[in-house]
Amino acid sequence: MPLNNERPTSTSSGEDQSSDVESSSERCDSMTSTSDLDCSRESFTSDCSSKPSTPSSSPPKTLTLDEVMDAAKDLFNLSLSHEIIVNRSFHLEPNRLPQNSLWRAVRDNFHKAFWDILEAELNDDPPEFGHAIRLLEDIRETLLSFLNPGANRMRTQIMEVLDMDLIRQQADNEALDIQGLASYIITTMGKVCAPVRDEEIKKLRESTDNIVTLLREIFRVLDLMKADMVNFNIVNLRPVLLRHSVEVERATFQRLLDKTPSALDHTTSWIKGALEELCPPAVSSEQTNGKGQRVMPGPLHILSAAFLRILTWDFYKSPLPETLMTDEIRLREIQAQLQQCQAVNEVLLIVYSTIGGPIQGLPSLSDRLKRMTSVLLDGMHRPDFNLEESLEGVSAQICCELNKSLTEMNYPALTPALQTTLTGQICSITQKDNPIRTLVEDRVQQYFMMLLCDPKPKDKLEQVPAGLTAIKPELALIGSKFISLVNYNKTVYGPFYADIIRKLMFNSGSPAAPTAPAATPPQDTTQDAN
């Protein structure tokens, strides 16, 4: 924690590092084409086990409790470093429990009991200083933890003023001046705190509360200062992590894999599922190269198909691949946004195909319907969300808006029969085999497969397939977020993915006709230009 003349300009938000994060994202995007996964294509059929860059694994073994705890620590460090790298606004917040929660009630009762005991001890005649001395000792250690390594003078002063042996002697002789020590502690806090806490320090200096309440407030402010120090260290650590992010995350995951050999089981199943979708057991003449050899997709195409499956992943039934767990929250958000966009697009397609001419060419009406539908479908990804009921509300609002617009343009309002038909069609998108829903979902899959397979996906973000024009801005934004996550993930875990794909394709134990990977990943050519 810097002194006042060395204070950081930001202690919590980390916004001053946004340019570093953005440059790191661009660096990871550019590295995708030359990542370990790409480099492995030249020797994809060879045994990579002797290569230093190839992830190693250990034979199954029984783990001890210490090994499990070490693995948990590695996983925590991996998640923390990844969050610092990819989330430029990541910072530590003091623990705030919900107002009416059981945990908060329990914590508040314990704290109240402790401070009540302290007050009773200090009010005894003669006063008892046991709890107070332990508090002063904790405060001393906290203040020392805030100092820079070179702050020897202040360190010496704190040790002299808060000399616990001397304080115990003064307590035994009933000569302990707790108020004076509290005043010194507040002054020292003002010297080592971040600027954002100056107002809190000022309130402590001006406090007229009794000593117990003052000590309680000192501890509250010290907790805030601890969070400030952690956030200050995060800001300073972020540029270092950005420069070595790939190596740090890969090495941490390798240590985790060494301790828990099953740490890639879900990842292997995920990639295997994508490979099976691309290469079903039945081999047709179209899947062979004319020489009896089965043509297999390239490793990049297999991985792209695997990442495409994440967009429709059932988080409630299947665990995520281990290599994606650090991004679970972001992937859930992307999936939720995508589901909502698809539903909005489906509703708009039904409206325009049902009503037709009278409402064509009215961008203001389209925008109103889009905003209205999006608001009413907000949160549709939640398990407790009643989609059918919400779609009925959407239908009613849309009918009102359409009647208003039709009347303004001197067209007849929608008939009750047409409104019933429109409502039924909109509500039918809850059915998985609904043709409009199937069409939109297929087009969205085409769009993301195009981005995943293209070496320069940023140039293709605006090229949405026909029928998705209404959600083009939202798709481009979601696509940009998703591709950035995928590119960074592939850069970090490329060697692990390459090893898994190689084993799945060439070590399956099937002595049937030899297989050959395609030279380049097939490009999606089904999308239509707008």
Side-chain angles (χ1 to χ4, degrees), residues 25 29 88 311 330 333-338 341 370 444 447-448 451 457-458 460-464 468-486:
S25 177
D29 289 347
R88 66 169 178 247
L311 293 174
R330 279 172 284 274
E333 290 176 353
I334 287 174
Q335 188 187 88
Q337 293 168 2
L338 187 59
C341 284
K370 178 180 174 180
V444 168
Y447 172 74
F448 278 94
L451 296 180
K458 289 185 177 180
K460 301 294 181 66
L461 289 173
E462 300 291 332
Q463 298 181 17
V464 301
L468 303 181
T469 307
I471 56 172
K472 178 179 177 179
E474 291 79 10
L475 268 185
L477 181 59
I478 295 172
S480 177
K481 292 179 182 178
F482 185 64
I483 292 302
S484 293
L485 286 179
V486 168

Side-chain angles (χ1 to χ4, degrees), residues 50-61:
S50 61
K51 296 183 180 180
S53 62
T54 302
S56 61
S57 59
S58 305
K61 63 178 182 179

Side-chain angles (χ1 to χ4, degrees), residues 154-217:
M154 182 169 289
R155 187 182 306 276
T156 301
Q157 185 185 69
I158 292 174
M159 294 295 291
E160 290 177 351
V161 176
L162 297 177
D163 185 336
M164 302 316 299
D165 292 334
L166 178 61
I167 288 175
R168 290 188 181 92
Q169 293 177 12
Q170 292 173 341
D172 292 340
N173 295 309
E174 300 183 21
L176 181 60
D177 181 11
I178 297 183
Q179 191 72 46
L181 292 176
S183 178
Y184 169 76
I185 289 168
I186 295 171
T187 300
T188 305
M189 290 168 63
K191 293 178 181 179
V192 299
C193 72
V196 71
R197 302 303 170 199
D198 285 346
E199 191 62 31
E200 296 281 0
I201 300 298
K202 182 180 178 182
K203 291 179 182 178
L204 290 178
R205 288 196 178 105
E206 298 173 351
S207 175
T208 58
D209 295 326
N210 61 45
I211 187 61
V212 173
T213 303
L214 182 59
L215 286 173
R216 189 170 187 169
E217 284 299 297

